[in-house]
Amino acid sequence: MDGLSNFFKNFLQYVKKSLVQIQNVFFRLKDYLQDNKPLAFLCIILAGFLFFSGVRHLQTNSVSADRKPVVIEVHTKVLAEEPMYKTVTLFGQTNAAAKIVVVNKYAGMITEVHRDLGDKVSAGDVLAQQDLKDINIQVNRAEADYKSYDAYTERYDATFNSNYQKYISEYNLKKTNFDRYTELFKKGAVSKLALDEAEQQMLSAKANLDSLTSQKLYEGKPAYVAERAQRAEQRRNSMLLLENQREDMTIRAPRDGVITFRNAEAGSYAQAGSHLFTIVDNSSLHLDCQVSEYDAALLKTGETVSVLVESLGKKYPGKITFVSPDKSKETKNYLVRVALDKADGQLKSGMFAKGSLRFLQKDKALFINRSAVLELNGKQYAFVLGEDKKAHRKIIQPGIRNTEELEIVSGLKAGDKVITDNVSRLREGLEVTDLGKKDEEK
């Protein structure tokens, strides 16, 4: 026991002596570095670098010790000659047969409103009525003005006919009298003065008749009468315009439908062109879609398509009724319209819907999903799973394609097991785990 006590006593004295020596060395080093500051700075940087390098080395060794080899899982497809189809997807919003904005043609006070939101209306139904007091006065005044001019026209026409008959009779009488005086003058029975007076009377009667018969005719009427008839017609047209204005101030439904917007209240003043109602005709619906030129070339009017309305979770039969012959300058696509068979009242305008059509591209073809192909330096590659359970890269030559699949002309053969996913993580000879076909390919 005394020997162990002496051991610890001597050990503590040794440690104390060592600490004193270290302290002396530290103080001498401190004095030296104070006199050589650049060297002190360099030592601090070196010490920090060595410390952090050591920590990073320990972390790396720890991670390396725990890391396990990563095996990539892939799906595969065994190549075989199969029919290759192209799917054309049609997507858009349903549209009503018509959506009409009803506006008032003339400014005026609204006195009555006969329809509200959600009301079903038929063409010609009165929606609202504007104040007609002022327009009624204008129509009555225009009607009286027209009737007055029309009466003047009739009077002038009667006067013209009366004068015409009168002047014909006078001319015939004066001409007969002149002819008789001419014969008597030849026999010496009347003087030259009497003959001249008879001739003057005949010429005066002829001038009166010519003033009527020489007038230019307008629609079979001489200018004298036609002028007054035109003035009467102008008054009649003015009256008809005012009558039309009065009729337009009764706001009517232009077609059958449902009121989906109303901005008309009795007692309010509406400026001309105000948006008062919107009528939507949902009696038939259609789907307008934009497709590429490759898809537009396959579609034809009359083809049937099943359309899924996503919000309802229902499918509705449809038929292609229009394929635009011209590409849109804005979208660079072609418009396709699908008429929908409205099976129930749930289908409404503005709902998103989609449908698809399949077209046979080739009876027999080797093809893979386009996501299974890599392109590098202008060449295209696919990975094949070998019997050694490793991925092997193959250069391929593509053929026809569609939005999802690509035909393989050369580079692969029937029976090859092609890797269909995770190809960007693969490299030549990498071992992988085969999960078989994807669920959607089974």
Side-chain angles (χ1 to χ4, degrees), residues 28 33 47 67 81 104 140 170 176 227 233 272 310 361:
R28 286 198 298 271
L33 292 176
R67 181 179 296 167
E81 287 191 335
N104 56 315
N140 292 336
E170 288 183 353
T176 300
E227 177 190 5
E233 185 66 20
E310 298 177 340
Q361 288 184 285

Side-chain angles (χ1 to χ4, degrees), residues 110 113 117 259 261-265 268 270 274-278:
I110 296 176
V113 178
L117 287 176
I259 294 178
F261 174 85
R262 168 186 152 174
N263 186 32
E265 297 296 338
S268 63
S274 297
H275 182 182
L276 301 181
F277 299 92
T278 297

Side-chain angles (χ1 to χ4, degrees), residues 316-386:
Y316 294 88
K319 181 182 292 185
I320 296 177
T321 58
F322 174 73
V323 180
S324 175
D326 187 29
K327 180 186 291 187
S328 169
K329 294 181 180 179
E330 290 76 20
T331 64
K332 307 301 181 185
N333 290 322
Y334 289 81
L335 174 66
V336 175
R337 175 165 292 183
V338 179
L340 301 179
D341 181 12
K342 188 179 179 183
D344 53 47
Q346 290 183 297
L347 191 58
K348 296 177 175 61
S349 174
M351 291 182 170
F352 286 96
K354 64 179 179 180
S356 60
L357 292 165
R358 294 185 74 199
F359 297 91
L360 180 65
Q361 288 184 285
K362 201 169 184 178
D363 291 331
K364 291 184 178 181
L366 292 175
F367 57 90
I368 58 176
N369 197 286
R370 295 177 65 171
S371 62
V373 178
L374 285 177
E375 187 169 348
L376 182 63
N377 298 327
K379 296 181 179 180
Q380 293 181 307
Y381 302 88
F383 282 93
V384 174
L385 182 61

Side-chain angles (χ1 to χ4, degrees), residues 90-123:
L90 304 175
F91 181 81
Q93 282 184 287
T94 56
N95 295 283
K99 182 178 181 180
I100 301 174
V101 174
V102 180
V103 301
N104 56 315
K105 192 174 180 180
Y106 300 99
M109 188 74 70
I110 296 176
T111 58
E112 300 173 11
V113 178
H114 298 275
R115 292 291 187 269
D116 205 347
L117 287 176
D119 288 352
K120 292 183 178 180
V121 296
S122 300

Side-chain angles (χ1 to χ4, degrees), residues 20-44 47:
V20 171
Q21 291 178 349
I22 292 173
Q23 185 178 10
N24 292 334
V25 171
F26 176 76
F27 283 121
R28 286 198 298 271
L29 179 62
K30 179 181 178 182
D31 294 337
Y32 178 76
L33 292 176
Q34 286 179 347
D35 295 336
N36 298 273
K37 291 183 179 181
L39 181 60
F41 181 72
L42 182 62
C43 290
I44 291 172

Side-chain angles (χ1 to χ4, degrees), residues 150-203:
D150 189 50
Y152 285 147
T153 302
E154 292 296 329
R155 188 179 66 184
Y156 285 131
D157 190 29
T159 301
F160 177 86
N161 291 331
S162 175
N163 289 336
Y164 179 72
Q165 295 298 327
K166 175 183 176 182
Y167 291 156
I168 286 181
S169 297
E170 288 183 353
Y171 171 70
N172 291 334
L173 178 62
K174 299 299 181 183
K175 186 176 184 304
T176 300
N177 190 49
F178 172 72
D179 292 340
R180 185 172 63 251
Y181 270 70
T182 301
E183 292 297 326
L184 292 173
F185 177 75
K186 291 179 180 179
K187 296 178 180 179
V190 295
S191 65
K192 181 69 169 62
L193 178 61
L195 178 62
D196 292 341
E197 288 179 354
E199 181 180 13
Q200 185 62 38
Q201 291 176 1
M202 181 195 68
L203 292 176

Side-chain angles (χ1 to χ4, degrees), residues 173-427:
L173 178 62
K174 299 299 181 183
K175 186 176 184 304
T176 300
N177 190 49
F178 172 72
D179 292 340
R180 185 172 63 251
Y181 270 70
T182 301
E183 292 297 326
L184 292 173
F185 177 75
K186 291 179 180 179
K187 296 178 180 179
V190 295
S191 65
K192 181 69 169 62
L193 178 61
L195 178 62
D196 292 341
E197 288 179 354
E199 181 180 13
Q200 185 62 38
Q201 291 176 1
M202 181 195 68
L203 292 176
S204 177
K206 187 176 185 304
N208 290 335
L209 179 61
D210 289 345
S211 66
L212 297 181
T213 58
S214 63
Q215 291 186 37
K216 185 176 180 180
L217 297 179
Y218 296 90
E219 296 180 356
K221 295 180 179 181
Y224 179 81
V225 178
E227 177 190 5
R228 285 151 181 81
Q230 287 297 320
R231 290 181 182 180
E233 185 66 20
Q234 290 174 1
R235 268 51 179 190
R236 179 176 178 273
N237 290 336
S238 298
M239 180 191 70
L240 293 177
L241 285 174
L242 289 171
E243 288 180 346
N244 289 341
Q245 180 177 342
R246 179 170 62 182
E247 177 61 26
D248 289 338
M249 294 180 75
T250 300
I251 313 300
R252 298 180 183 273
R255 67 180 294 161
D256 297 352
V258 178
I259 294 178
T260 60
F261 174 85
R262 168 186 152 174
N263 186 32
E265 297 296 338
S268 63
Y269 184 84
Q271 296 288 349
S274 297
H275 182 182
L276 301 181
F277 299 92
T278 297
I279 297 176
V280 173
D281 181 3
N282 267 352
S283 59
S284 63
L285 294 166
H286 61 267
L287 186 69
D288 283 340
C289 313
Q290 298 287 335
V291 300
S292 68
E293 59 183 283
Y294 299 103
D295 293 342
L298 298 173
L299 300 175
K300 295 179 177 61
T301 57
E303 290 180 320
T304 58
V305 55
S306 179
V307 176
L308 171 66
V309 179
E310 298 177 340
S311 59
L312 301 178
K314 290 185 177 182
K315 289 186 176 181
Y316 294 88
K319 181 182 292 185
I320 296 177
T321 58
F322 174 73
V323 180
S324 175
D326 187 29
K327 180 186 291 187
S328 169
K329 294 181 180 179
E330 290 76 20
T331 64
K332 307 301 181 185
N333 290 322
Y334 289 81
L335 174 66
V336 175
R337 175 165 292 183
V338 179
L340 301 179
D341 181 12
K342 188 179 179 183
D344 53 47
Q346 290 183 297
L347 191 58
K348 296 177 175 61
S349 174
M351 291 182 170
F352 286 96
K354 64 179 179 180
S356 60
L357 292 165
R358 294 185 74 199
F359 297 91
L360 180 65
Q361 288 184 285
K362 201 169 184 178
D363 291 331
K364 291 184 178 181
L366 292 175
F367 57 90
I368 58 176
N369 197 286
R370 295 177 65 171
S371 62
V373 178
L374 285 177
E375 187 169 348
L376 182 63
N377 298 327
K379 296 181 179 180
Q380 293 181 307
Y381 302 88
F383 282 93
V384 174
L385 182 61
E387 294 181 358
D388 55 0
K389 297 183 180 180
K390 294 181 180 180
H392 300 283
R393 193 172 71 174
K394 303 288 185 180
I395 298 177
I396 63 171
Q397 181 182 347
I400 60 174
R401 65 187 67 198
N402 53 47
T403 55
E404 297 178 354
E405 296 160 336
L406 180 71
E407 181 191 18
I408 305 301
V409 176
S410 64
L412 299 176
K413 62 183 184 300
D416 284 345
K417 186 178 285 189
V418 179
I419 298 175
T420 59
D421 57 5
N422 282 329
V423 293
S424 60
R425 300 174 60 189
L426 302 180
R427 65 178 185 274

